[in-house]
């Protein structure tokens, strides 16, 4: 009837607006490359901050000793300790714990957030057991992974530029996050020194390099999205410091804030952005990352309920609640392989209170997940392609007789768990690079990479070296 065809029209329009043919992705990639140059040229030269990480050497494998890592940047924070044993023993032992952050602390005060972290960290340190050895007379050292944009002032200090991903703690903006953490640790009587402040992308790059020397790019696809890569130091005009001996500098792109007229933005994206905690910012992130994909789907469903009575004569009230449909639930529906799409039916019932959906309705919901996830994955691929182009790694380079290999370390729950997204990303990379070049480029899931990477960087910047 009329309702069904109206609903179909909404989905058809969504599909058109979200389409990302290869030509469009190439324009996005080129725009990314242009912005990378601009962001490297001058401070504030681009939406891409292209932040200097002060990491000019990635792990070699020689790192030794007991080091801690703390990862703050999403819904959970993690504490970790690793016993590094050098080339032979590698990561001799590791332990970690994950603690979810009480939501009120994400929008409270800096003091409260860092106190909470320091308390949990102190508890974790107190349980250091067998297999971990701190050399006599040494202070414990920590790599702090803080996954928000930070203007670094050294490897172990930096000021918060802004919050993203649902965090908003006004009094922390502009403050040195290492100083904040250090003060909170002191309040807990915890004797520990932060020897490296890194972003999760930098941690993932370091952790990835530790296991594979061909890793030169890291991408995060989790709650948010970001990327880091190894740049030639002399190609960073805004860097006025001494050129590092290695000739290299790792750059934290903060690509979540990328935007371009080539990005396929829909009315749903625009409304979601306008109503977000950070309107006008993190536009690329809002198209591709886990915090937002489910919310985009919810907005499409709401429109269909309102304009095409898609779920009956009244709009299901829960469908009006922002962020009620999370990306893990979207992905569970998307991957439903049962003949009657039971998972879709159950999710609609349990999350949105919508019962008795027909198979036809469930199929249309999968179609919407498909459109939104494919757009995100394809745009993420375009972003990576842009980075590879900037690095000159979008062609085959021979190093002697050997073809140079490029490995992109990828981490984050979206990439790890959303199989459709991951496979679409991979096939789009092949589409953009071409068969031959894509054989020299690999994406490797770097599990825990960011935590171990931070510990490794803490080791290579230890006060005892
Ligand atoms: P963070 O990005 O918060 O540091 P993770 O890397 O673990 O943490 O990513 C968590 C995010 O990954 C969640 O917010 C969610 O968006 C996404 N995610 C987790 N599980 C799934 C899943 N099964 N399917 C799709 N997305 C998922
Ligand atoms: Mg993370």
């Amino acid at each position: 009837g009329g309702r069904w065809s109206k609903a179909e029209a909404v989905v058809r329009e969504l599909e058109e607006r979200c389409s990302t043919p290869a030509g469009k992705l190439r324009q996005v990639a080129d725009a990314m490359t242009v912005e990378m140059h601009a962001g490297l040229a001058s401070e504030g030269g681009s939406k891409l901050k292209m932040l200097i990480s002060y990491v000019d050497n990635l792990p070699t494998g020689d790192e030794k000793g007991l080091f801690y890592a703390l990862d703050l940047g999403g819904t959970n924070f993690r504490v970790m300790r690793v016993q590094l044993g050098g080339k032979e023993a590698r990561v001799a032992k590791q332990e970690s714990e994950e603690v979810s952050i009480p939501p009120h602390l994400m929008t409270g005060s800096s003091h409260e957030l860092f106190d909470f972290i320091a308390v949990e960290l102190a508890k974790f340190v107190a349980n250091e057991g067998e297999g971990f050895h701190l050399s006599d007379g040494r202070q414990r050292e920590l790599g702090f992974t803080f996954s928000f944009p930070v203007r670094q002032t050294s490897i172990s200090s930096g000021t918060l530029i802004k919050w993203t991903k649902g965090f908003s703690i006004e009094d922390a903006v502009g403050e040195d996050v290492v100083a904040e953490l250090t003060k909170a640790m002191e309040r807990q009587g915890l004797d520990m020194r932060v020897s490296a402040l890194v972003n999760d992308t930098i941690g993932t790059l370091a952790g990835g390099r530790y296991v594979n020397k061909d890793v030169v790019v890291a991408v995060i696809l989790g709650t948010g999205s970001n990327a880091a890569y190894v740049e030639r130091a002399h190609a960073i005009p805004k860097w006025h410091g001494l050129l590092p001996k290695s000739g290299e500098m790792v750059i934290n792109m903060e690509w979540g804030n990328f935007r371009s007229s080539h990005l396929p933005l829909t009315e749903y994206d625009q409304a979601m952005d306008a109503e977000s905690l950070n309107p006008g910012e993190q536009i690329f992130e809002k198209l591709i990352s886990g915090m937002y994909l489910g919310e985009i789907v919810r907005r499409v469903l709401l429109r269909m309920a309102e304009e095409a009575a898609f779920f009956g004569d009244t709009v299901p009230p829960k469908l009006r609640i922002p962020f009620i449909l999370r990306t893990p639930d979207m992905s569970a529906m998307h991957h439903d392989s049962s003949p009657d799409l039971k998972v879709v039916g159950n999710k609609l019932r349990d999350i949105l209170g919508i019962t008795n959906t027909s198979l036809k309705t469930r199929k249309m919901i999968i179609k919407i997940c498909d459109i939104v996830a494919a757009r995100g994955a394809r745009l993420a691929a375009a972003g990576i392609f842009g980075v590879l182009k900037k690095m000159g790694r979008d062609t085959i380079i021979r190093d002697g007789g050997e073809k140079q290999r490029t490995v992109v370390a990828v981490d984050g729950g979206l990439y790890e768990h959303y199989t459709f997204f991951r496979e679409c990303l991979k096939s789009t990379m092949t589409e953009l690079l071409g068969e031959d070049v894509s054989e020299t480029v690999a994406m490797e899931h770097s599990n825990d990479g960011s935590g171990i990477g931070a510990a490794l960087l803490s080791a290579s910047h230890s006060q005892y070296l």
Side-chain angles (χ1 to χ4, degrees):
R3 286 179 174 186
W4 189 257
S5 61
K6 266 193 201 157
E8 278 182 319
V10 171
V11 176
R12 208 176 318 115
E13 190 187 330
L14 176 74
E15 191 168 23
E16 279 164 25
R17 296 273 154 85
C18 288
S19 82
T20 51
K24 187 175 232 352
L25 294 182
R26 289 182 193 286
Q27 289 175 314
V28 170
D30 288 342
M32 182 71 81
T33 309
V34 167
E35 293 301 323
M36 289 173 77
H37 278 281
L40 291 172
S42 63
E43 215 66 81
S46 165
K47 288 246 158 214
L48 285 189
K49 290 206 165 65
M50 304 299 284
L51 300 170
I52 289 168
S53 68
Y54 287 80
V55 173
D56 52 20
N57 276 298
L58 286 165
T60 58
D62 293 325
E63 296 78 5
K64 273 189 181 153
L66 169 63
F67 293 91
Y68 276 79
L70 191 162
D71 182 322
L72 175 68
T75 38
N76 296 314
F77 84 90
R78 286 179 27 134
V79 284
M80 175 186 270
R81 64 180 143 250
V82 292
Q83 187 71 42
L84 300 169
K87 281 256 153 53
E88 245 70 295
R90 309 288 291 182
V91 177
K93 190 167 184 188
Q94 75 179 76
E95 279 176 358
S96 66
E97 245 166 57
E98 198 165 281
V99 187
S100 66
I101 302 171
H104 73 275
L105 291 183
M106 295 166 67
T107 53
S109 74
S110 172
H111 203 96
E112 282 176 294
L113 177 69
F114 282 103
D115 270 349
F116 177 77
I117 291 167
V119 167
E120 296 299 325
L121 179 60
K123 278 193 229 162
F124 181 67
V125 173
N127 286 323
E128 188 182 282
E130 285 290 293
F132 296 100
H133 314 283
L134 187 69
S135 301
D136 280 349
R138 285 196 176 188
Q139 190 182 19
R140 286 185 179 74
E141 293 180 290
L142 172 88
F144 182 17
T145 305
F146 183 77
S147 306
F148 301 95
V150 163
R151 174 118 27 242
Q152 301 246 171
T153 41
S154 75
I155 183 65
S156 59
S157 60
T159 57
L160 174 62
I161 298 171
K162 63 170 187 180
W163 293 101
T164 57
K165 298 175 286 194
F167 279 72
S168 177
I169 304 171
E170 261 332 293
D171 63 345
V173 175
E175 297 298 319
D176 181 344
V177 292
V178 172
E180 295 297 297
L181 175 61
T182 303
K183 281 186 278 176
M185 290 192 301
E186 281 166 3
R187 288 194 290 269
Q188 292 308 315
L190 177 59
D191 181 26
M192 191 176 256
R193 173 179 176 267
V194 179
S195 58
L197 168 65
V198 298
N199 186 268
D200 54 354
T201 52
I202 309 290
T204 300
L205 189 65
R209 173 68 66 90
Y210 187 67
V211 289
N212 186 332
K213 64 171 180 32
D214 294 323
V215 169
V216 287
V217 182
V219 173
I220 300 292
L221 290 160
T223 304
S225 182
N226 191 8
Y229 73 106
V230 181
E231 183 56 279
R232 295 157 302 152
H234 65 78
I236 311 173
K238 72 178 177 184
W239 172 251
H240 300 300
L242 289 175
L243 280 189
K245 250 196 247 141
S246 66
E248 295 180 333
M249 178 59 79
V250 174
I251 299 292
N252 163 18
M253 293 177 61
E254 287 297 333
W255 87 0
N257 200 42
F258 172 69
R259 80 182 297 170
S260 154
S261 59
H262 298 297
L263 291 175
L265 288 177
T266 65
E267 60 191 293
Y268 309 105
D269 303 302
Q270 272 149 1
M272 179 177 73
D273 172 49
E275 293 162 31
S276 70
L277 280 175
N278 51 353
E281 290 174 35
Q282 303 293 103
I283 299 299
F284 194 51
E285 177 164 88
K286 286 170 181 166
L287 287 167
I288 69 177
S289 80
M291 177 163 170
Y292 304 101
L293 298 183
E295 169 64 5
I296 298 169
V297 171
R298 181 195 68 87
R299 285 171 179 272
V300 177
L301 294 179
L302 177 58
R303 166 95 191 274
M304 289 164 75
E306 285 174 338
E307 292 187 9
F310 190 56
F311 299 110
D313 291 335
T314 56
V315 175
K318 285 189 174 164
L319 196 50
R320 295 193 189 276
I321 303 173
F323 294 96
I324 194 170
L325 182 65
R326 296 157 52 249
T327 303
D329 298 313
M330 167 191 179
S331 101
M333 293 196 289
H334 197 173
H335 292 140
D336 188 356
S337 58
S338 64
D340 55 346
L341 300 179
K342 198 165 26 295
V343 179
V344 179
N346 290 347
K347 290 284 178 195
L348 291 172
R349 185 194 60 211
D350 299 345
I351 298 165
L352 299 170
I354 300 169
T355 51
N356 298 322
T357 44
S358 69
L359 183 60
K360 215 170 152 197
T361 297
R362 296 176 186 183
K363 279 188 177 160
M364 195 174 269
I365 288 167
I366 291 198
K367 172 89 180 163
I368 296 164
C369 294
D370 219 66
I371 294 168
V372 173
R375 178 184 66 164
R378 289 177 65 77
L379 289 172
I384 298 172
F385 182 58
V387 176
L388 295 179
K389 273 186 120 169
K390 169 73 178 72
M391 300 177 82
R393 290 192 180 237
D394 59 325
T395 55
I396 292 177
I397 298 164
R398 285 188 187 274
D399 185 0
E402 294 273 296
K403 289 179 189 163
Q404 186 175 49
R405 298 195 55 80
T406 299
V407 177
V408 181
V410 192
D411 198 10
L414 180 70
Y415 182 81
E416 190 179 352
H417 302 296
Y418 202 154
T419 307
F420 172 89
F421 187 98
R422 184 175 62 245
E423 283 171 359
C424 181
L425 173 60
K426 185 162 191 335
S427 63
T428 309
M429 285 308 298
T430 306
E431 186 179 332
L432 294 172
L433 288 165
E435 288 285 345
D436 290 350
V437 178
S438 71
E439 276 169 23
T440 69
V441 177
M443 312 244 284
E444 271 179 15
H445 176 226
S446 153
N447 209 2
D448 273 352
S450 150
I452 290 173
L456 287 161
L457 291 168
S458 161
S460 59
H461 295 88
S462 164
Q463 63 190 319
Y464 301 109
L465 286 181

